PDB file of all heavy atoms in Angstrom:
ATOM      1  N   GLN B   1     -13.844  -5.688  -6.611  1.00  0.00           N
ATOM      2  CA  GLN B   1     -12.826  -6.647  -6.164  1.00  0.00           C
ATOM      3  C   GLN B   1     -11.418  -6.100  -6.449  1.00  0.00           C
ATOM      4  O   GLN B   1     -10.529  -6.205  -5.602  1.00  0.00           O
ATOM      5  CB  GLN B   1     -13.010  -7.985  -6.862  1.00  0.00           C
ATOM      6  CG  GLN B   1     -12.050  -9.049  -6.366  1.00  0.00           C
ATOM      7  CD  GLN B   1     -12.282 -10.388  -7.039  1.00  0.00           C
ATOM      8  OE1 GLN B   1     -13.095 -10.497  -7.955  1.00  0.00           O
ATOM      9  NE2 GLN B   1     -11.568 -11.389  -6.595  1.00  0.00           N
ATOM     10  N   ALA B   2     -11.196  -5.501  -7.586  1.00  0.00           N
ATOM     11  CA  ALA B   2      -9.889  -4.937  -7.924  1.00  0.00           C
ATOM     12  C   ALA B   2      -9.534  -3.803  -6.970  1.00  0.00           C
ATOM     13  O   ALA B   2      -8.388  -3.679  -6.524  1.00  0.00           O
ATOM     14  CB  ALA B   2      -9.877  -4.442  -9.368  1.00  0.00           C
ATOM     15  N   ARG B   3     -10.504  -2.959  -6.624  1.00  0.00           N
ATOM     16  CA  ARG B   3     -10.275  -1.853  -5.693  1.00  0.00           C
ATOM     17  C   ARG B   3      -9.918  -2.380  -4.301  1.00  0.00           C
ATOM     18  O   ARG B   3      -9.015  -1.882  -3.646  1.00  0.00           O
ATOM     19  CB  ARG B   3     -11.528  -0.970  -5.621  1.00  0.00           C
ATOM     20  CG  ARG B   3     -11.307   0.307  -4.826  1.00  0.00           C
ATOM     21  CD  ARG B   3     -12.541   1.205  -4.778  1.00  0.00           C
ATOM     22  NE  ARG B   3     -13.052   1.493  -6.103  1.00  0.00           N
ATOM     23  CZ  ARG B   3     -14.302   1.214  -6.518  1.00  0.00           C
ATOM     24  NH1 ARG B   3     -15.159   0.655  -5.707  1.00  0.00           N
ATOM     25  NH2 ARG B   3     -14.679   1.507  -7.743  1.00  0.00           N
ATOM     26  N   ARG B   4     -10.606  -3.434  -3.856  1.00  0.00           N
ATOM     27  CA  ARG B   4     -10.344  -4.022  -2.543  1.00  0.00           C
ATOM     28  C   ARG B   4      -8.939  -4.622  -2.483  1.00  0.00           C
ATOM     29  O   ARG B   4      -8.199  -4.425  -1.520  1.00  0.00           O
ATOM     30  CB  ARG B   4     -11.387  -5.098  -2.223  1.00  0.00           C
ATOM     31  CG  ARG B   4     -11.212  -5.703  -0.824  1.00  0.00           C
ATOM     32  CD  ARG B   4     -12.226  -6.793  -0.552  1.00  0.00           C
ATOM     33  NE  ARG B   4     -12.310  -7.824  -1.576  1.00  0.00           N
ATOM     34  CZ  ARG B   4     -11.439  -8.827  -1.702  1.00  0.00           C
ATOM     35  NH1 ARG B   4     -10.444  -8.943  -0.883  1.00  0.00           N
ATOM     36  NH2 ARG B   4     -11.591  -9.725  -2.661  1.00  0.00           N
ATOM     37  N   ILE B   5      -8.528  -5.315  -3.537  1.00  0.00           N
ATOM     38  CA  ILE B   5      -7.190  -5.909  -3.583  1.00  0.00           C
ATOM     39  C   ILE B   5      -6.128  -4.815  -3.545  1.00  0.00           C
ATOM     40  O   ILE B   5      -5.134  -4.915  -2.829  1.00  0.00           O
ATOM     41  CB  ILE B   5      -7.039  -6.796  -4.837  1.00  0.00           C
ATOM     42  CG1 ILE B   5      -7.884  -8.052  -4.679  1.00  0.00           C
ATOM     43  CG2 ILE B   5      -5.583  -7.163  -5.071  1.00  0.00           C
ATOM     44  CD1 ILE B   5      -7.966  -8.900  -5.921  1.00  0.00           C
ATOM     45  N   ARG B   6      -6.360  -3.731  -4.265  1.00  0.00           N
ATOM     46  CA  ARG B   6      -5.386  -2.635  -4.274  1.00  0.00           C
ATOM     47  C   ARG B   6      -5.286  -1.994  -2.902  1.00  0.00           C
ATOM     48  O   ARG B   6      -4.194  -1.683  -2.420  1.00  0.00           O
ATOM     49  CB  ARG B   6      -5.786  -1.594  -5.311  1.00  0.00           C
ATOM     50  CG  ARG B   6      -4.777  -0.482  -5.446  1.00  0.00           C
ATOM     51  CD  ARG B   6      -5.069   0.391  -6.660  1.00  0.00           C
ATOM     52  NE  ARG B   6      -3.997   1.294  -6.926  1.00  0.00           N
ATOM     53  CZ  ARG B   6      -3.796   2.434  -6.274  1.00  0.00           C
ATOM     54  NH1 ARG B   6      -4.617   2.795  -5.322  1.00  0.00           N
ATOM     55  NH2 ARG B   6      -2.778   3.219  -6.577  1.00  0.00           N
ATOM     56  N   GLN B   7      -6.403  -1.810  -2.212  1.00  0.00           N
ATOM     57  CA  GLN B   7      -6.374  -1.222  -0.872  1.00  0.00           C
ATOM     58  C   GLN B   7      -5.647  -2.136   0.118  1.00  0.00           C
ATOM     59  O   GLN B   7      -4.927  -1.664   0.992  1.00  0.00           O
ATOM     60  CB  GLN B   7      -7.796  -0.926  -0.394  1.00  0.00           C
ATOM     61  CG  GLN B   7      -8.413   0.253  -1.087  1.00  0.00           C
ATOM     62  CD  GLN B   7      -9.876   0.435  -0.716  1.00  0.00           C
ATOM     63  OE1 GLN B   7     -10.489  -0.446  -0.123  1.00  0.00           O
ATOM     64  NE2 GLN B   7     -10.436   1.582  -1.078  1.00  0.00           N
ATOM     65  N   GLU B   8      -5.847  -3.455  -0.008  1.00  0.00           N
ATOM     66  CA  GLU B   8      -5.137  -4.389   0.876  1.00  0.00           C
ATOM     67  C   GLU B   8      -3.630  -4.336   0.616  1.00  0.00           C
ATOM     68  O   GLU B   8      -2.838  -4.425   1.545  1.00  0.00           O
ATOM     69  CB  GLU B   8      -5.636  -5.816   0.660  1.00  0.00           C
ATOM     70  CG  GLU B   8      -7.004  -6.071   1.222  1.00  0.00           C
ATOM     71  CD  GLU B   8      -7.528  -7.455   0.866  1.00  0.00           C
ATOM     72  OE1 GLU B   8      -6.801  -8.220   0.203  1.00  0.00           O
ATOM     73  OE2 GLU B   8      -8.664  -7.748   1.242  1.00  0.00           O
ATOM     74  N   ASN B   9      -3.239  -4.195  -0.629  1.00  0.00           N
ATOM     75  CA  ASN B   9      -1.821  -4.121  -0.958  1.00  0.00           C
ATOM     76  C   ASN B   9      -1.185  -2.838  -0.439  1.00  0.00           C
ATOM     77  O   ASN B   9      -0.009  -2.824  -0.093  1.00  0.00           O
ATOM     78  CB  ASN B   9      -1.603  -4.222  -2.465  1.00  0.00           C
ATOM     79  CG  ASN B   9      -1.844  -5.620  -2.984  1.00  0.00           C
ATOM     80  OD1 ASN B   9      -1.819  -6.573  -2.227  1.00  0.00           O
ATOM     81  ND2 ASN B   9      -2.087  -5.727  -4.279  1.00  0.00           N
ATOM     82  N   LEU B  10      -1.936  -1.763  -0.417  1.00  0.00           N
ATOM     83  CA  LEU B  10      -1.396  -0.478   0.027  1.00  0.00           C
ATOM     84  C   LEU B  10      -1.536  -0.266   1.531  1.00  0.00           C
ATOM     85  O   LEU B  10      -1.008   0.712   2.048  1.00  0.00           O
ATOM     86  CB  LEU B  10      -2.074   0.665  -0.724  1.00  0.00           C
ATOM     87  CG  LEU B  10      -1.814   0.724  -2.233  1.00  0.00           C
ATOM     88  CD1 LEU B  10      -2.620   1.856  -2.849  1.00  0.00           C
ATOM     89  CD2 LEU B  10      -0.343   0.903  -2.508  1.00  0.00           C
ATOM     90  N   ALA B  11      -2.205  -1.133   2.244  1.00  0.00           N
ATOM     91  CA  ALA B  11      -2.403  -0.961   3.680  1.00  0.00           C
ATOM     92  C   ALA B  11      -1.055  -1.011   4.395  1.00  0.00           C
ATOM     93  O   ALA B  11      -0.211  -1.852   4.120  1.00  0.00           O
ATOM     94  CB  ALA B  11      -3.322  -2.048   4.223  1.00  0.00           C
ATOM     95  N   GLY B  12      -0.829  -0.109   5.313  1.00  0.00           N
ATOM     96  CA  GLY B  12       0.398  -0.079   6.085  1.00  0.00           C
ATOM     97  C   GLY B  12       1.521   0.705   5.434  1.00  0.00           C
ATOM     98  O   GLY B  12       2.554   0.920   6.047  1.00  0.00           O
ATOM     99  N   ARG B  13       1.311   1.169   4.224  1.00  0.00           N
ATOM    100  CA  ARG B  13       2.353   1.969   3.572  1.00  0.00           C
ATOM    101  C   ARG B  13       2.168   3.433   3.930  1.00  0.00           C
ATOM    102  O   ARG B  13       1.118   3.852   4.404  1.00  0.00           O
ATOM    103  CB  ARG B  13       2.269   1.818   2.061  1.00  0.00           C
ATOM    104  CG  ARG B  13       2.696   0.466   1.577  1.00  0.00           C
ATOM    105  CD  ARG B  13       2.825   0.517   0.094  1.00  0.00           C
ATOM    106  NE  ARG B  13       3.158  -0.786  -0.447  1.00  0.00           N
ATOM    107  CZ  ARG B  13       3.258  -1.028  -1.728  1.00  0.00           C
ATOM    108  NH1 ARG B  13       3.044  -0.081  -2.597  1.00  0.00           N
ATOM    109  NH2 ARG B  13       3.563  -2.231  -2.143  1.00  0.00           N
ATOM    110  N   ARG B  14       3.205   4.184   3.669  1.00  0.00           N
ATOM    111  CA  ARG B  14       3.127   5.622   3.896  1.00  0.00           C
ATOM    112  C   ARG B  14       2.235   6.245   2.827  1.00  0.00           C
ATOM    113  O   ARG B  14       2.000   5.651   1.788  1.00  0.00           O
ATOM    114  CB  ARG B  14       4.530   6.210   3.829  1.00  0.00           C
ATOM    115  CG  ARG B  14       5.389   5.711   4.964  1.00  0.00           C
ATOM    116  CD  ARG B  14       6.757   6.331   4.911  1.00  0.00           C
ATOM    117  NE  ARG B  14       7.527   5.814   6.031  1.00  0.00           N
ATOM    118  CZ  ARG B  14       8.829   5.685   6.025  1.00  0.00           C
ATOM    119  NH1 ARG B  14       9.527   6.051   4.992  1.00  0.00           N
ATOM    120  NH2 ARG B  14       9.457   5.205   7.070  1.00  0.00           N
ATOM    121  N   PRO B  15       1.751   7.463   3.056  1.00  0.00           N
ATOM    122  CA  PRO B  15       0.918   8.117   2.041  1.00  0.00           C
ATOM    123  C   PRO B  15       1.648   8.182   0.708  1.00  0.00           C
ATOM    124  O   PRO B  15       2.831   8.482   0.648  1.00  0.00           O
ATOM    125  CB  PRO B  15       0.691   9.509   2.605  1.00  0.00           C
ATOM    126  CG  PRO B  15       0.916   9.379   4.069  1.00  0.00           C
ATOM    127  CD  PRO B  15       1.902   8.283   4.248  1.00  0.00           C
ATOM    128  N   GLY B  16       0.950   7.883  -0.333  1.00  0.00           N
ATOM    129  CA  GLY B  16       1.549   7.884  -1.650  1.00  0.00           C
ATOM    130  C   GLY B  16       1.830   6.468  -2.133  1.00  0.00           C
ATOM    131  O   GLY B  16       2.122   6.260  -3.288  1.00  0.00           O
ATOM    132  N   GLY B  17       1.766   5.487  -1.233  1.00  0.00           N
ATOM    133  CA  GLY B  17       1.917   4.111  -1.641  1.00  0.00           C
ATOM    134  C   GLY B  17       3.338   3.582  -1.644  1.00  0.00           C
ATOM    135  O   GLY B  17       3.552   2.428  -1.929  1.00  0.00           O
ATOM    136  N   TYR B  18       4.320   4.424  -1.326  1.00  0.00           N
ATOM    137  CA  TYR B  18       5.708   3.976  -1.341  1.00  0.00           C
ATOM    138  C   TYR B  18       6.230   3.921   0.087  1.00  0.00           C
ATOM    139  O   TYR B  18       5.805   4.666   0.950  1.00  0.00           O
ATOM    140  CB  TYR B  18       6.578   4.916  -2.178  1.00  0.00           C
ATOM    141  CG  TYR B  18       6.134   4.967  -3.610  1.00  0.00           C
ATOM    142  CD1 TYR B  18       5.411   6.038  -4.101  1.00  0.00           C
ATOM    143  CD2 TYR B  18       6.424   3.916  -4.466  1.00  0.00           C
ATOM    144  CE1 TYR B  18       4.990   6.069  -5.411  1.00  0.00           C
ATOM    145  CE2 TYR B  18       6.003   3.941  -5.778  1.00  0.00           C
ATOM    146  CZ  TYR B  18       5.299   5.020  -6.244  1.00  0.00           C
ATOM    147  OH  TYR B  18       4.883   5.042  -7.545  1.00  0.00           O
ATOM    148  N   SER B  19       7.202   3.048   0.319  1.00  0.00           N
ATOM    149  CA  SER B  19       7.722   2.912   1.674  1.00  0.00           C
ATOM    150  C   SER B  19       8.712   4.018   2.019  1.00  0.00           C
ATOM    151  O   SER B  19       8.975   4.268   3.176  1.00  0.00           O
ATOM    152  CB  SER B  19       8.397   1.541   1.863  1.00  0.00           C
ATOM    153  OG  SER B  19       9.526   1.448   1.038  1.00  0.00           O
ATOM    154  N   GLY B  20       9.297   4.668   1.052  1.00  0.00           N
ATOM    155  CA  GLY B  20      10.182   5.792   1.308  1.00  0.00           C
ATOM    156  C   GLY B  20      11.610   5.356   1.566  1.00  0.00           C
ATOM    157  O   GLY B  20      11.939   4.184   1.551  1.00  0.00           O
ATOM    158  N   PRO B  21      12.502   6.317   1.814  1.00  0.00           N
ATOM    159  CA  PRO B  21      13.920   6.008   1.945  1.00  0.00           C
ATOM    160  C   PRO B  21      14.305   5.394   3.286  1.00  0.00           C
ATOM    161  O   PRO B  21      15.346   4.790   3.407  1.00  0.00           O
ATOM    162  CB  PRO B  21      14.595   7.365   1.758  1.00  0.00           C
ATOM    163  CG  PRO B  21      13.594   8.344   2.241  1.00  0.00           C
ATOM    164  CD  PRO B  21      12.265   7.764   1.857  1.00  0.00           C
ATOM    165  N   GLY B  22      13.504   5.568   4.311  1.00  0.00           N
ATOM    166  CA  GLY B  22      13.843   5.056   5.635  1.00  0.00           C
ATOM    167  C   GLY B  22      13.596   3.568   5.763  1.00  0.00           C
ATOM    168  O   GLY B  22      13.033   2.926   4.879  1.00  0.00           O
ATOM    169  N   PRO B  23      14.034   2.988   6.867  1.00  0.00           N
ATOM    170  CA  PRO B  23      13.801   1.551   7.077  1.00  0.00           C
ATOM    171  C   PRO B  23      12.316   1.247   7.240  1.00  0.00           C
ATOM    172  O   PRO B  23      11.582   2.011   7.852  1.00  0.00           O
ATOM    173  CB  PRO B  23      14.581   1.238   8.351  1.00  0.00           C
ATOM    174  CG  PRO B  23      14.827   2.533   9.008  1.00  0.00           C
ATOM    175  CD  PRO B  23      14.780   3.594   7.963  1.00  0.00           C
ATOM    176  N   ASP B  24      11.904   0.158   6.678  1.00  0.00           N
ATOM    177  CA  ASP B  24      10.512  -0.280   6.762  1.00  0.00           C
ATOM    178  C   ASP B  24      10.528  -1.733   7.238  1.00  0.00           C
ATOM    179  O   ASP B  24      10.755  -2.651   6.452  1.00  0.00           O
ATOM    180  CB  ASP B  24       9.854  -0.167   5.387  1.00  0.00           C
ATOM    181  CG  ASP B  24       8.367  -0.444   5.434  1.00  0.00           C
ATOM    182  OD1 ASP B  24       7.851  -0.722   6.536  1.00  0.00           O
ATOM    183  OD2 ASP B  24       7.718  -0.380   4.377  1.00  0.00           O
ATOM    184  N   PRO B  25      10.307  -1.976   8.543  1.00  0.00           N
ATOM    185  CA  PRO B  25      10.418  -3.335   9.071  1.00  0.00           C
ATOM    186  C   PRO B  25       9.452  -4.324   8.430  1.00  0.00           C
ATOM    187  O   PRO B  25       9.729  -5.514   8.383  1.00  0.00           O
ATOM    188  CB  PRO B  25      10.108  -3.185  10.557  1.00  0.00           C
ATOM    189  CG  PRO B  25      10.044  -1.734  10.846  1.00  0.00           C
ATOM    190  CD  PRO B  25       9.971  -1.003   9.560  1.00  0.00           C
TER     191      PRO B  25
END
């Protein structure tokens, strides 16, 4: 369950889990 929640939170982000310096709508 913890792994699934973490994957849902990271879905749609750039590789590495951070949104980066550019705009992220």
Side-chain angles (χ1 to χ4, degrees):
Q1 184 178 6
R3 188 179 307 122
R4 183 182 51 79
I5 289 172
R6 184 169 190 280
Q7 287 173 347
E8 287 174 2
N9 288 340
L10 295 177
R13 289 191 183 176
R14 294 182 180 151
Y18 299 103
S19 65
D24 187 0

